[in-house]
Structures are given as structure tokens and as C-alpha cells.
Amino acid sequence: MIRAFLLVNAFLFTAVCYLQIDSSLSISTQLSIISGQEAQGFDEIDWGFSRLPRLVMALLVGSVMGCIGSVIQQLTLNPLLSPVTLGTSSGAWLGLIVLAIFWPQGQTEFQVFAAMSGAALALGFVLLISGVRNLSGLSLILSGMAVNLLFGAITTALILLNDQYARNLFIWGAGDLSQNGWDKVQWFWPHCLLLLTILAFAGKPLTLLRLGQAAAAARGLNVVWLFVTLIISGLWILSSAITMVGIIGFIGLVAPNAARFLGARTATSELIVSTLLGASLLMIADGMALFANTLTFDLVPTGLTTALIGAPLLIILIRHRGNKKPQSQHAFMALQGSRTLSIRTIILMTGALLSVIFLGVFTHIDNNIYQFHLPNEFAWPLRWPRLAASLFAGAGMAVAGVMLQRLIHNPLASPDLLGLSAGAVLALILVSLLLGIRVSELGPLVAFVGSMSILGTLLLLGKRFHFAPTSLILTGVALTALIETLIQGVLMTGTDDVYDILRWLSGSTYRVTPNQAISLIVGVTLFIVVAVGLQRWLTLLSIGRITAAARGVSVQKSFIILLMISAGLCAFITALVGPIAFVSIVAPHLAGLLGAKKVVPQLFFSALIGATLLQLSDWLGQIIIYPNQLAAGTVVAIIGGSYFILILLKNRNSV
Amino acid sequence: MFEFSQLIIERNQRPILDIPNLTLATDKLTVILGKNGSGKTTLMQCLARQLHPSKGCIRFKEKPLLGFSQRQLAQEIAFLPQSLSEAAGLTIRELVQLGRFPWHGTWGRWRQKDHDIVTQSLKQVGLSHYENQLVEEASGGEKQRAWIAMLLAQQSPVLLLDEPTSALDISHQYELLSLLQKLNRETGQGIIIILHDVNLAARYADRILAIDEGRCVFHGTVDDFMKKEQLESLYNIPMTLINHPENNTKVALAC
């Protein structure tokens, strides 16, 4: 009781402090405004119509995030899920962008529906990929991140092609709570009534669900019905919150974990404490943002300060968990299809590679006419570095993917999920902001240093939990999320550099110089040779750490070396070409499907497929929307992501 | 020879294994018996250096276990864990080949001798005809035998097996133990094995090690172990011993 009393007092004190930031009004004036007195003068109006609704909004949105986060985590029995890790936030973001671009008039009325459909679509994909019965494992988080990447790539492509409509959405994407009046609060609060229903009724069935789905069903719980009801109402409140203030990550993830940490044991108490904690956390984060705004001229979005508080908390939670026994990993093996590599498949795939190279070399577009002829002496020096870049970047990313998936024992892992690409982006942006150089002029060195410092951080943090795969990849996910919020914050400053950065982010091959192309060829070849040289380690480690150790591989050393090779390869390519998503997931998977199941054939065959895929994407990006161009990285994310989802759906049906 | 001195393993500040003094022979067939959760697997993980003791140490061949490099250790000790991984995408033969890793390492060449050893190991567990089958498509028993073949191919002087019979039918259980006994007699390989079947243990073991609540409660010959009071205090249920109708051994019945 005393503890609860103290907490309530602390909460009220924080709220009062929040209201004092950068405000010259006395507390008695503030009280009289709250009690309904007419506000007079700029300061009072500003306080009554901007600060006060902002506080209410922060509290409402915070409680929504905390409560929905707790619902999702209890439904899935997975303590590391949140609206952001499930891909719903990026889905909502995509829905809103589509609405803004294709039907700007509808924005006033249909924003919630657009956000809601986007979020539901994303969640649907995630559930289909990982399977409804497999909600507690790492696969769910990885498929959430994959869907995030796919939707992010589509959103980036849409923004780049329609920048006049999308410009003002950047601020929104970074999460911004500023209010000018009570309209938004008026609109939003009825949606929050659903929360009360959830708080009142969800506790009992959620308690039963802790037994596991099968056991809960055996006690008479309609699991599917519970799931559908809770998810739909959760998504609805969430989408309306996102429509109002944009994406605010981390609270949904951190609040329930903190609630459990503070001793909220039963389902209902976890729901309530998470809701209150979410509200307090967002209030504190927003207070920080307000305070930062008084120091700088730029607008500091709340999403940024939330991430600054949330990401370290999350990493602490992961480290805390790391000492416990890792939860059972349902290794996700969609490796059906051919059993061994047939000569015919090899010939077919080599043919595919040769034909995309042929297309890349000979296709020209002149005055809207597609032509085939040998490139002339002016075109060739422009063309070959680009061709080499796509081929070798594709091959390299595929090899990095094979290695990481075997190390982490999860076929959905890919090196860009470890936060390496994000690290490169951050380094580039920081250098360009601090030193004032444009991104395109910066050496790939900066990007490489950025990725490598992320890898260093990962290895430092990972030492504590002996590089357990789950904890490692979760730390990577947390770092990625933090850095992406930072990037959003920088993008929001809205200078022209933003579009340069977005173009680099989409992974394009047309800036690659002949020298860079040569270093790419040499570097990737070297990395692949080393990877093939260490194939016996890779085979043994992919069977299991105990097995590897019992056969005489010193596990920690070989794990770190292989991880560094995979990450180094990814960082090297990202530095020269930009982030290339999905090749590292799709190519190894496709190779396995076609029969390359052992390490060496899978390495080579994935490289072959990766090269084909990226070159094909580059070529398509040049011709489909001519005279515009889409970057290879964007096209490959869309092709790869769609293929990935399709193949998983197909496998799901046949199982 | 494994020598334990003041070995303590703690989990959550509670000792789960406490063996002040024990010497385990590495030239005999030793069976470890005990109830669920008594610490058998923990003990074996310590022997295989998969788990580091909280206090004390184990010496092997008069050298601390930690003094071996990972490859030296694998050349001396071959360990089969209780739960076997998927080994996806490998055929049974390829799995067995992995047992040769300690001998030629990361880049060493394969010789004819290595291939012969693999072939012979497959034959010993009766999987010669299935060597090109994928491990994930094999039945539980075939998979377990494939892993045992890998262990044989490793040709280490000491084999540690944690419940290798859990997925085997009764005939394969006896075949496996006959095979291990034969190996022990012919090549002098020491075998330490965890079993749950008292009679299987009694039939093949040279020595029995019984563990209860993290402590060693018996270490000696089979004849000394097969006593009514001994078995009852180990398993906490009434037991009866009867004479085998045909040979001069005892059979334990739980009743």
C-alpha cells in the first residue's frame, strides 16, 4: 500500500514538473486554467491549448502502448514482442503514406482506416510466416523484422517517387506529440474506452493461456476467438494512436517487461501496471523532448527521446534474460523441395545468371524504345562497374546470410538484422551533419567504420550471455530500432540532404565507381574463399554447439571468427552499395529449396542466386518505370520480400 | 582415469552436484544410474567439459581437464549428448564423417583410412544400407544410431554416452551394449554411459556409479550393486531381486 502511495505521488509530481517545462506561468494560474477559467494572453493560451492537451495525449497514448504491448506479450507468451517488432507500426505507416499519395482528399476522414488496414496486413503476414502455433519463438520476431524491412522498402520507394506529397510525413514518422488545441484529444479519447474493457475482462482468459494454447483449449477456452478479439481491438486503438501522433516505439515492449520486473505477476495486474507504466514512461520521454526543444532550434520528436530511454532499458532486459535458460527454439526449416542438387538445376541457374548479365549489358532505352545492342565506348565505362557491383554485392550478401543463418540456427536471420546496415547509415549521417559533407561524397570507409562499431558493441554486450544466438539477435534488433529512430529524427530536419540519404538507404548501384567495383570484386571473392575454407566449422556449428565442442571445435573462438566474417562481408557491401535487404534471406533459402543443403554447395549456389537476383532487380529498376529509376536495393527488397512470403505460404499449406 | 577433487556444481546458489572424491576408470564399461534430476547428466557434462565446475576440478590422465585444447580433448573423449540436434540437410554418412574432425581439423586432408573408419562405424551400428538417407528423414532409432556411429568414428579412447538407448527398441538396446562391450574388450576403449534400465546395466557393466541428489552413493562392481536394499534406497520404491532362470545373474523387478 505504501509503495503504491509513493508511486502515485511520484507520478503526480512528474506530471506537475512536466507542466512547468519552459512555462512562465505560476502554479495558481495553471490551476485556474484547469478549473475552467478563460485563458488570457499568449502564455496562458499556449499553455492551456498546447501544453495541457499534450500531457493528456501523452498519458493516453502511453497507456495504450503499454496495455496493448502487455496484451500482445501475454497472448504470445513472448516477452520480447511489441507493436513495432510485430511489424504493425510500419504497416500503419505504409497505409498512411499510400493514402496521402493516392487519395490526399480522403486524409481527414480515413486515416485510421488506412493505418488500421496497413497494420492488419503487416500482422497477417507476420502470423502467416511464423505460423499461429509458433508464437513464442524467435521466428516471430524475425518475421516481424522481415515484414518491417519489406514495408519500409515499399514506403521509401513511394516517398522517393512522390516527394511533394510525402515531405510533411517525415515529422509524423518520427513520433510527435505537439498539440494545437483539444481537437485531437477529443477525437482520440473515446477510442481509449476499449482499453477499459480489455483491462476488465482480458485477465481471466489470459491467465488460462499461460498454460499454453493446447492446454488452455483443453480447459475450454476458445483460443482463436480470444486471439482475434484481442488483436482486432488492440490494432484498432493502436492505429488510432498512430494516426494521431505517429510511430512511438519501445513503450509497448518495455512497459510490460518492467511491470513484470516490478512484480506484477497475475495477468490482470500485469495489464494494469503496464498501462500505468506506459503512461508514465511516455510522459517522462515527452518531458525530455520538451526540455530538449528549449535547448535547440530544431524540433526534437518524442519518438527519439522514447527510443533513447527505451533501447537501453531493452538491452538491460535482454541481458537480464540472457542468464536464464533460453526458451525452446522451434528451428524453422522450410527446406523442402529437391533432395540433392541435380545437374539440370545447376545448368538452369547458371543460364539464368548469364541471361540477366546479358540483359544488363545489352539493354538500352532510347526515346522510350527498348533496344538491344552492344554498349558503345561511352556507355561501357558507366555500365560495367554497375554490373559488377550488383553481381558481387548480391553474391556477397547471400554468402553472409548462409553463414549467419547457420551460426544463429535460424533460417530467418540475416546480417542486416544485426543492426550493421543501420550502424553504417548512422555513421554516414552523423559525419555528413557534423562535417557538412554530402553523403555521396563520403568514403565508404565511414560506413564500414559504422557497421564495425555496431559489431563491436554487439560482441561486447554478447560476452555476458556467451553469445547465445537468441540474445545476440535480440540485441541487434534493439540496436537497429534505436538507430532507426535516430535516423528518422535526423531525416526530419528536412534539409535536401535527406533525399540523398534516402537514395543511399535504398541501396543503389549506379554511384559505384570503377575503383569501387574492383575493390568489391576482390573483397567479396576473398571473403567467400575464406568462408569456404572454414566450411567444417560451419557444418559442425550449424548442428549444435555441444556437438561442435565434442568434435574438437573451440566454439567461442570459431563462432566469433565466423560472425566477424559474415558481418564484415555485410558491412563491406553496405559501405559501397548501400543496405541490400532480403538477398541474404531469400538466396540461401532458395538454394536449399533447389537441393543445395550442405555448406559448400549452399555457399556457392546462394552466391549464384544472390548475384542473379540483385542484377535482375537492378535491371528491372531501370526499365519498369523509365524514365524514373528505382534503386536495386528497393526492387530486390520488394521482389525478395514477396517471394519470401509466397514461398512460406505455400509451404504452410503443404505441411 | 578421471579424478574428481572437491567438485561442486551450483545452480541458483544451490549445489546440484557435490562429489568430494572419486576416481573413474577409463578402461572399463561404467554405467551411471540414478533417478531423474539426480545429477547424472550434469556429471557427464562435467566429464565432457561442456560444463565448468563452480568449485573444484576434474583431472584426466593426471592433467586438469581445462589444460586440454578443444581438439586434444576431442581426440581423447567422444561425447554424445542426451538431446540430438536436427543436423538438417546432411545424409547419415556425412553426419558420421563429422566424427573425423578432431583428427584432421579445419583444413586437413581426408585419407582412405578416414573413409574406411566411417564405413566400418556405419557397419557396426547396422546403418550401412541407409548411409545416403537424410538424417532428418530417419526414424528416431536410426538417428540415434547414426549419432553413435559418429561417436565410433571419432575413435577416442574414452566414450561418454548420455542415454543413448532412449529411442531404441529392445533388440537395438542389447545390440548397442554388446557392441560397446566388444569395443571395450577389443580396443580397450573406456565407456561411461547413462542408462535407466537396471537390468541392462547389470548385464553389461563392469562397474556401476549411482548418483542420488547430486552425491555419489555407490561406486563398485555389479555384484555388489545388485542388492535389494541398495536398489530400494536408490529408487525409493520396493524392489525384488530374482535369479535369472538360465544364467547366474540377478534380475531386478520393481514391485
Side-chain angles (χ1 to χ4, degrees):
Chain A
M1 264 330 274
I2 295 170
R3 228 166 107 196
F5 179 71
L6 284 178
L7 282 177
V8 169
N9 274 336
F11 177 79
L12 287 176
F13 178 72
T14 326
V16 173
C17 286
Y18 175 93
L19 291 171
Q20 306 314 315
I21 297 170
D22 197 25
S23 162
S24 57
L25 301 181
S26 68
I27 293 190
S28 60
T29 327
Q30 294 179 356
L31 273 178
S32 59
I33 295 176
I34 294 173
S35 60
Q37 198 195 342
E38 191 82 0
Q40 282 156 2
F42 176 78
D43 279 352
E44 292 185 15
I45 291 176
D46 179 51
W47 193 85
F49 287 91
S50 165
R51 181 62 56 85
L52 212 49
R54 183 166 176 157
L55 173 66
V56 176
M57 197 57 149
L59 292 176
L60 284 178
V61 171
S63 19
V64 166
M65 298 287 173
C67 179
I68 303 302
S70 175
V71 167
I72 289 177
Q73 293 185 6
Q74 294 196 46
L75 269 182
T76 55
L77 301 177
N78 190 334
L80 288 160
L81 281 186
S82 81
V84 175
T85 41
L86 270 178
T88 45
S89 297
S90 58
W93 175 216
L94 175 64
L96 284 164
I97 295 277
V98 168
L99 185 72
I101 289 171
F102 296 105
W103 196 31
Q105 307 90 312
Q107 265 177 311
T108 45
E109 284 173 43
F110 294 98
Q111 274 194 327
V112 192
F113 287 98
M116 170 91 186
S117 341
L121 192 69
L123 183 69
F125 275 147
V126 171
L127 290 182
L128 279 170
I129 292 172
S130 66
V132 184
R133 302 241 160 258
N134 194 8
L135 293 176
S136 48
L138 185 58
S139 292
L140 191 62
I141 296 171
L142 288 175
S143 29
M145 291 308 279
V147 168
N148 263 337
L149 278 178
L150 172 64
F151 280 35
I154 298 175
T155 313
T156 310
L158 285 174
I159 293 178
L160 280 176
L161 294 174
N162 305 279
D163 52 3
Q164 67 278 27
Y165 295 106
R167 205 172 265 265
N168 59 351
L169 286 168
F170 280 130
I171 296 183
W172 184 89
D176 181 40
L177 280 167
S178 10
Q179 305 290 316
N180 42 20
W182 287 91
D183 304 351
K184 286 184 174 177
V185 174
Q186 289 280 8
W187 182 89
F188 184 54
W189 75 263
H191 295 271
C192 299
L193 291 180
L194 259 179
L195 272 193
L196 293 177
T197 329
I198 292 179
L199 288 178
F201 295 108
K204 221 179 234 174
L206 283 178
T207 311
L208 202 51
L209 205 60
R210 291 192 180 181
L211 303 174
Q213 291 181 15
R219 307 284 95 71
L221 180 71
N222 189 334
V223 177
V224 176
W225 187 83
L226 175 76
F227 202 85
V228 169
T229 328
L230 281 180
I231 283 288
I232 286 184
S233 44
L235 275 189
W236 177 261
I237 318 177
L238 201 69
S239 306
S240 44
I242 288 179
T243 320
M244 283 297 105
V245 301
I247 297 174
I248 291 182
F250 285 104
I251 288 188
L253 187 55
V254 171
N257 279 302
R260 280 191 291 275
F261 188 75
L262 292 176
R265 201 178 41 78
T266 63
T268 313
S269 68
E270 189 191 314
L271 284 174
I272 293 172
V273 177
S274 310
T275 311
L276 297 177
L277 273 179
S280 325
L281 269 178
L282 188 57
M283 178 171 68
I284 294 168
D286 194 40
M288 278 173 62
L290 276 175
F291 185 68
N293 279 337
T294 63
L295 299 179
T296 61
F297 291 108
D298 287 328
L299 185 70
V300 178
T302 314
L304 194 79
T305 47
T306 318
L308 284 179
I309 299 181
L313 272 177
L314 180 62
I315 290 172
I316 292 171
L317 285 169
I318 293 168
R319 286 171 62 112
H320 188 71
R321 252 170 57 84
N323 292 334
K324 292 187 192 156
K325 210 175 155 224
Q327 50 190 158
S328 69
Q329 272 194 41
H330 296 274
F332 169 100
M333 295 313 283
L335 287 179
Q336 293 180 341
S338 319
R339 293 186 38 172
T340 47
L341 211 48
S342 67
I343 302 287
R344 210 176 118 238
T345 326
I346 297 176
I347 294 173
L348 219 65
M349 289 315 298
T350 319
L353 177 64
L354 291 177
S355 46
V356 293
I357 295 176
F358 177 83
L359 282 176
V361 173
F362 293 106
T363 320
H364 297 259
I365 306 175
D366 252 337
N367 303 323
N368 285 329
I369 303 166
Y370 295 83
Q371 301 172 344
F372 279 97
H373 59 76
L374 259 177
N376 55 32
E377 64 212 83
F378 302 110
W380 181 240
L382 289 175
R383 191 153 299 181
W384 77 261
R386 182 170 186 170
L387 191 68
S390 332
L391 291 175
F392 280 84
M397 284 309 283
V399 167
V402 172
M403 295 179 71
L404 194 73
Q405 285 154 20
R406 286 185 171 263
L407 284 178
I408 308 273
H409 299 146
N410 196 309
L412 295 178
S414 89
D416 34 344
L417 292 185
L418 284 177
L420 297 174
S421 310
V425 179
L426 185 70
L428 283 176
I429 290 177
L430 281 183
V431 171
S432 79
L433 279 186
L434 296 179
L435 306 178
I437 327 168
R438 289 169 74 90
V439 170
S440 45
E441 292 164 12
L442 293 171
L445 194 65
V446 177
F448 192 71
V449 170
S451 299
M452 280 300 148
S453 48
I454 290 294
L455 179 66
T457 316
L458 269 181
L459 290 178
L460 269 181
L461 289 172
K463 211 172 168 191
R464 164 89 174 269
F465 38 78
H466 307 293
F467 305 101
T470 318
S471 307
L472 196 65
I473 201 136
L474 288 175
T475 312
V477 169
L479 284 175
T480 313
L482 171 63
I483 291 171
E484 263 163 16
T485 323
L486 289 175
I487 293 170
Q488 282 277 359
V490 176
L491 288 182
M492 213 197 67
T493 56
T495 54
D496 280 337
D497 281 345
V498 166
Y499 285 91
D500 267 357
I501 294 170
L502 267 186
R503 268 184 209 107
W504 185 83
L505 272 178
S506 50
S508 57
T509 43
Y510 50 74
R511 286 176 296 98
V512 176
T513 62
N515 282 338
Q516 288 176 339
I518 290 171
S519 54
L520 202 57
I521 294 173
V522 175
V524 169
T525 315
L526 266 179
F527 271 114
I528 295 181
V529 167
V530 175
V532 171
L534 296 173
Q535 48 117 345
R536 287 181 188 160
W537 288 3
L538 213 48
T539 308
L540 279 165
L541 277 177
S542 60
I543 292 182
R545 291 182 174 203
I546 296 177
T547 311
R551 300 289 91 67
V553 175
S554 88
V555 171
Q556 193 131 328
K557 191 185 82 191
S558 53
F559 182 83
I560 293 177
I561 291 176
L562 289 172
L563 183 70
M564 283 174 73
I565 293 171
S566 167
L569 188 51
C570 172
F572 179 67
I573 293 166
T574 310
L576 289 169
V577 184
I580 306 280
F582 278 108
V583 173
S584 45
I585 302 180
V586 170
H589 184 265
L590 196 56
L593 211 64
L594 291 172
K597 295 184 180 184
K598 276 169 290 171
V599 171
V600 178
Q602 202 190 8
L603 283 174
F604 281 119
F605 219 59
S606 304
L608 190 74
I609 293 170
T612 313
L613 200 60
L614 198 58
Q615 170 55 26
L616 179 70
S617 303
D618 195 23
W619 180 73
L620 283 176
Q622 290 175 54
I623 61 151
I624 26 177
I625 52 162
Y626 181 85
N628 273 325
Q629 285 206 0
L630 276 176
T634 306
V635 182
V636 87
I638 296 170
I639 296 181
S642 323
Y643 161 81
F644 186 56
I645 288 168
L646 271 179
I647 204 80
L648 290 164
L649 290 181
K650 198 166 151 250
N651 271 357
R652 189 136 300 286
N653 292 337
S654 64
V655 166
Chain B
M1 192 96 88
F2 285 108
E3 292 162 290
F4 291 63
S5 59
Q6 312 302 332
L7 182 90
I8 293 180
I9 304 278
E10 288 177 341
R11 201 162 289 163
N12 299 329
Q13 278 86 47
R14 214 167 50 88
I16 53 169
L17 195 66
D18 181 358
I19 298 179
N21 198 352
L22 176 72
T23 305
L24 268 182
T26 46
D27 54 352
K28 301 216 160 48
L29 203 165
T30 307
V31 174
I32 303 180
L33 290 171
K35 283 190 295 195
N36 294 137
S38 57
K40 302 185 296 294
T41 298
T42 311
L43 175 68
M44 186 155 279
Q45 284 172 340
C46 289
L47 294 178
R49 210 178 73 181
Q50 298 277 350
L51 198 70
H52 297 295
S54 320
K55 295 194 187 85
C57 78
I58 299 177
R59 297 169 73 82
F60 174 67
K61 282 191 156 179
E62 287 157 11
K63 236 171 97 178
L65 213 49
L66 281 171
F68 290 83
S69 83
Q70 197 73 41
R71 248 179 88 185
Q72 282 169 344
L73 192 75
Q75 288 174 355
E76 296 290 346
I77 299 172
F79 168 58
L80 182 74
Q82 191 172 3
S83 58
L84 306 177
S85 324
E86 272 305 313
L90 294 180
T91 65
I92 287 179
R93 190 181 174 90
E94 284 157 357
L95 179 72
V96 177
Q97 283 174 348
L98 296 178
R100 297 304 298 159
F101 182 87
W103 300 100
H104 46 62
T106 314
W107 292 289
R109 271 166 46 82
W110 269 76
R111 293 169 213 291
Q112 188 55 42
K113 189 179 142 232
D114 295 310
H115 289 291
D116 294 343
I117 290 170
V118 169
T119 310
Q120 194 205 346
S121 308
L122 280 163
K123 208 169 132 202
Q124 282 174 322
V125 298
L127 283 177
S128 300
H129 297 300
Y130 303 100
E131 61 174 38
N132 291 323
Q133 200 182 356
L134 285 176
V135 179
E136 70 240 49
E137 289 171 4
S139 74
E142 283 163 357
K143 192 170 134 189
Q144 202 160 32
R145 277 149 62 206
W147 279 79
I148 292 165
M150 173 171 86
L151 215 64
L152 300 180
Q154 195 166 335
Q155 295 208 318
S156 313
V158 179
L159 303 184
L160 304 175
L161 300 94
D162 191 349
E163 287 187 42
T165 55
S166 58
L168 300 184
D169 61 50
I170 195 156
S171 70
H172 279 112
Q173 287 182 16
Y174 278 81
E175 270 174 33
L176 172 65
L177 277 152
S178 311
L179 170 67
L180 292 175
Q181 194 178 44
K182 200 171 121 221
L183 283 174
N184 175 251
R185 302 285 185 268
E186 286 173 2
T187 64
Q189 283 173 298
I191 288 157
I192 299 175
I193 179 169
I194 294 178
L195 290 178
H196 274 304
D197 185 336
V198 177
N199 294 319
L200 192 66
R203 168 122 179 232
Y204 289 102
D206 298 321
R207 301 184 70 82
I208 301 271
L209 175 69
I211 307 277
D212 192 22
E213 292 184 352
R215 285 162 201 280
C216 169
V217 292
F218 177 86
H219 184 212
T221 60
V222 176
D223 289 343
D224 290 340
F225 179 72
M226 291 300 271
K227 301 263 166 61
K228 184 173 159 64
E229 311 77 53
Q230 193 83 47
L231 287 167
E232 284 183 343
S233 77
L234 181 61
Y235 288 106
N236 290 343
I237 51 163
M239 301 280 266
T240 311
L241 284 175
I242 54 172
N243 288 319
H244 195 281
E246 279 162 25
N247 39 19
N248 186 22
T249 55
K250 294 227 185 281
V251 178
L253 299 174
C255 59

